[in-house]
Amino acid sequence: MELITVEGKLGGCAIGDLEADRPGLEAVVVSSEGQVVLVGRTAEGWESEVLLQAPGELIQVATGDLLPQFPGDEILAGGMLAGGEKAGGDGALYVLWREGGAWRSVRIASPRALVHAVAVLDFDPDRPGLEAVAAGFDLEVRSFSFGSWPAVAERFVGTLPAPAKGMVPCGSKVAIACEDGSLILQGTGGGRSIFRGTSGLARLGFDAGELLVSSNAGELYRLAGLEGQALPLDADVVFVEPGGVKGRGAVVADLEPARAGLEYATAGYSGKVHLPYRTHSGYAAIEIYDDGQPLHHLAAGEFVVESPGLELLCCGFGGRLVLLQQRP
């Protein structure tokens, strides 16, 4: 189901409880035209609202309760300060929150290059609340805490071997996909390389100790046991994008509650969404959607409560945000 279509490309999408006075969860997506767009359900169907018109392209987005004093989750969006992804120049990181029934926004950082990876998590267990973590093409990882809003405490936490293209929370750490194929596990006390792909890495998904990583060669890697094992970790290739084009989706989640264990989903420049699964002799996959244009991100969440399992959201170069759900 197509939820919205915008001009330009869509970069990333996420799901969260963004409007606490509305039943269910909402989706948020960011675009090459600098827009942050919220999508939610009404009794009549679906509606969207542009929450921010930034001067630069926005690439990735995450949600979480960064500011507990305000209702619902907040939005963390990263990209360029001005111009498009390839324009060069400073990056930008924004926080959006809902106060007094209206959405507000503030730019909390302008690093020296594009922000291409963001996450919201309890990154620093020694302080209350959640933190924002961001990285990108300046090779630096930073965390942001919000205990005395509107003041923001910024902390440098690490240097990457190559530009960051994606990030996912793993407990109190983040896994960061880097353009040179490195997968970095980063915490407040430092980071370490835990895997290296044959090409640049891009998007990540994590749940119950399983980490999925998509790559520029279209390979979708599965890693398990991030802690307590010899490094680098071994990985299974569970899927390869048709034609070996860039992979830009990695979801591991309980997509089918009637079936034991976790399921996988991926997308990429093929424009297709696939569900890889294990067989007696390895892995196979089924295709569940073809957008006709390269896809740039894939997310999962309980977006439609009356539908079994979790839903998938995908977006990409066609400017469409598409909802994929199981039929009851």
Side-chain angles (χ1 to χ4, degrees), residues 242-264:
V245 299
K246 293 179 178 180
R248 288 296 182 266
V251 165
V252 52
D254 188 8
L255 298 174
E256 298 185 18
R259 200 158 90 184
L262 301 172
E263 287 77 42
Y264 309 138

Side-chain angles (χ1 to χ4, degrees), residues 158-285:
T159 301
L160 300 172
K165 297 298 291 289
M167 180 186 296
V168 70
C170 298
S172 62
K173 299 179 180 179
V174 291
I176 304 173
C178 295
E179 205 167 46
D180 68 345
S182 299
L183 179 63
I184 306 299
L185 189 63
Q186 179 74 52
T188 56
R192 55 178 178 163
S193 177
I194 60 172
F195 172 74
R196 190 177 185 92
T198 60
S199 66
L201 303 181
R203 308 289 181 265
L204 305 102
F206 178 80
D207 194 1
E210 292 195 40
L211 182 64
L212 285 188
V213 190
S214 64
S215 78
N216 287 346
E219 296 168 317
L220 182 69
Y221 298 101
R222 173 190 173 272
L223 300 90
L226 299 187
E227 300 289 351
Q229 293 193 25
L231 300 178
L233 295 176
D234 292 328
D236 296 330
V237 176
V238 304
F239 181 75
V240 179
E241 280 285 310
V245 299
K246 293 179 178 180
R248 288 296 182 266
V251 165
V252 52
D254 188 8
L255 298 174
E256 298 185 18
R259 200 158 90 184
L262 301 172
E263 287 77 42
Y264 309 138
T266 189
Y269 279 22
S270 68
K272 304 175 189 295
V273 177
H274 288 90
L275 301 181
Y277 61 93
R278 193 187 296 271
T279 70
H280 293 298
S281 58
Y283 292 91

Side-chain angles (χ1 to χ4, degrees), residues 20-47:
D21 53 355
R22 186 203 301 256
L25 303 181
E26 292 75 43
V28 60
V29 67
V30 294
S31 79
S32 61
E33 305 303 303
Q35 293 185 332
V36 177
V37 184
L38 181 142
V39 181
R41 297 180 75 189
T42 69
E44 291 74 34
W46 301 90
E47 65 179 10

